[in-house]
Each structure stands twice: as structure tokens, then as C-alpha cells.
Amino acid sequence: MVRIRVLVVDDHRIFAESLAAALAAEPDVDVSAAGSGPAALRCLDRAVAEGRRFDVLLVDADLGCSAGTHVVPDASSEDGVVDGISLVAGVRAAQPAVRTVVLAERDDPRRAALALQAGACGWVAKDCSLSRLLAVIRGVLREETHLPPALLTGVLRELTAARKHRTESERLVESLTPREREVLRCMVAGLNRKDVAARLFLSPHTVRTHMQNVLGKLGVHSTLAAVALARRAGVRPVDLAGDVVERSSQLA
């Protein structure tokens, strides 16, 4: 029997443990639970190191958020993960083979669209039946995308609007010089001014000037806003892992 390895990520412990116990009763499901984004990433990394990767991640849409609030992902935050959708994006980048499904307390077309853009394969109500959730889990492993029918129209509208915003964001990014784009990619990767200076062999003062120019040309007032706009435009972060490999080979 091929077993499905599932990781439940929810900071409401009772819900996480109850859901994990229900899923574990299935003969072909192995399940673990994590109470935060950083804890989930540690579980995923440990599973890879032990040769037993997870197949599906079930992520609370409001992970790390207080009731009624949603936090915008901040690439410069210490752990790199702020809420459930940020975790989806992080897992998509680090382990693209893992399928993610977002568990939500309410229908929200905007956040469902954001989840899909981040790499989620499904959006499911937390109060759905266990049989429905299992059908979604098995479905995403067959490359299916699952959304509640009531959300389809709203999600399509949000995705269309996002495409329009992306076009405008791309136009703004194209106004940057090559060096400013390099600096922006470093900002998207979460590097601070000192790290950007070291990577690009520039003085911190010069990097500060470039960052100010980037903010001005993009029409934003903070690094966080610049990073959000860059992500909409499809700007990829610098490859920090590749940089480490390159430096290691030079030392060797």
C-alpha cells in the first residue's frame, strides 16, 4: 500500500491534534502536526534528511494571525514566514513536489486567489467533512486543483485583477537600472543593507542610495511595499543557496 504522508500546520492545538488523529485513522495516511510556520519548515527539512518526504501540507489560512487580522508577508522578517499563505510560498520554493492545501474558516476569494498564486493546490473549509478533505488530499496528488464552487467566480475576478496589477508592476520594475534591479532582487531575498553591500561589492552608503532610488521609481515608501510590488511583477530573489555553493567551491 502506498502511504500518503501529511503534515497539518495549525497554531490551534486542539484543532490540529483532532484533525491529525482523524486522518491517522485512515489505513493509507501517515500524519504529523506542527504549530507554526517555522516548525513546519523544520519538519519538512528533517523529513527530507531522513528520506521520508511529506506529500501534502494542510495549512491554516490564518496561521500566525490574531482573530480577524491578516499580516502581509515580510521578506525581511526573522523567520521568513508570517502567515499561512507565506508558508505556502516558502514551501513551493523549497520543496515544489509537496502539495499544499489551505484550510480556511470562511470563504475569502481574495485570499484564496493569493493562496493559488503562492502555489496552493486547494482551498477547503475547516468545517468540511473528513471524506471531502480526504478526496481533496488524494486529488491534489493527481495534480488536481480544488476550490469550493461558490468561490470560483470571485477567485477568477481576483486573478484577473492581479494580472492587471502585475502588468503595472512589471512596467515600474522595467524603469529600474540593471544595478537597481540587482538590489531589488536582494531585497526580495530578505537581505539587509549590509548583506547587499557585501554581495554586490558596494559600500553600504551606495546601497542605501540604490534602495532609495528603487523606492522612488516604484512609487512606494518602504522596503516591504517594494518587495510586495516586486513579487507581483515576478521578480525572483537572488539565489542565496547557489552563492553559498559558489563560495564553498572557491574555498576548496
Side-chain angles (χ1 to χ4, degrees):
M1 179 185 298
V2 178
R3 303 188 67 80
I4 303 171
R5 300 204 67 231
V6 177
L7 178 62
V8 177
V9 188
D10 196 302
D11 46 14
H12 294 85
R13 186 170 180 176
I14 293 177
F15 175 83
E17 291 181 351
S18 298
L19 179 56
L23 291 172
E26 295 295 311
D28 62 338
V29 176
D30 289 330
V31 62
S32 300
S36 68
L41 292 175
R42 289 193 294 271
C43 286
L44 289 166
D45 289 341
R46 186 163 58 249
V48 170
E50 296 173 354
R52 49 185 188 88
R53 296 173 181 267
F54 284 99
D55 301 302
V56 178
L57 205 67
L58 301 180
V59 182
D60 176 20
D62 296 324
L63 184 71
C65 300
S66 59
T69 65
H70 299 306
V71 183
V72 177
D74 184 351
S76 63
S77 64
E78 183 177 344
D79 56 33
V81 175
V82 176
D83 66 2
I85 293 177
S86 297
L87 176 61
V88 170
V91 172
R92 178 68 174 176
Q95 297 191 35
V98 177
R99 301 289 179 258
T100 56
V101 175
V102 176
L103 305 178
E105 291 187 357
R106 57 194 173 280
D107 286 345
D108 186 333
R110 180 177 176 275
R111 285 182 59 78
L114 288 173
L116 293 179
Q117 289 175 309
C121 300
W123 177 279
V124 181
K126 278 191 171 183
D127 61 358
C128 74
S129 66
L130 182 61
S131 60
R132 167 61 180 163
L133 181 57
L134 287 166
V136 171
I137 290 172
R138 295 188 170 102
V140 298
L141 290 175
R142 297 192 298 268
E143 306 294 334
E144 297 173 0
T145 299
H146 286 259
L147 279 174
L151 274 181
L152 286 177
T153 300
V155 168
L156 289 175
R157 185 183 300 116
E158 292 290 337
L159 292 176
T160 300
R163 181 178 294 276
K164 181 178 180 180
H165 288 312
R166 175 166 179 165
T167 300
E168 174 63 15
S169 300
E170 288 172 341
R171 183 187 66 77
L172 291 171
V173 169
E174 287 173 359
S175 71
L176 303 179
T177 67
R179 176 61 85 185
E180 289 166 350
R181 291 182 196 176
E182 282 186 286
V183 170
L184 180 59
R185 291 185 64 209
C186 291
M187 293 164 65
V188 172
L191 299 182
N192 59 34
R193 188 186 308 162
K194 182 178 178 181
D195 292 335
V196 175
R199 181 181 179 86
L200 300 182
F201 303 103
L202 299 172
S203 72
H205 176 75
T206 299
V207 170
R208 179 184 180 185
T209 299
H210 283 312
M211 286 183 167
Q212 289 174 338
N213 290 340
V214 167
L215 297 184
K217 290 183 178 181
L218 297 184
V220 296
H221 302 287
S222 68
T223 297
L224 177 58
V227 169
L229 186 150
R231 286 173 171 168
R232 287 199 300 271
V235 175
R236 298 179 63 84
V238 291
D239 185 1
L240 300 179
D243 189 47
V244 171
V245 172
E246 182 179 350
R247 290 183 184 179
S248 299
S249 63
Q250 290 175 349
L251 289 174

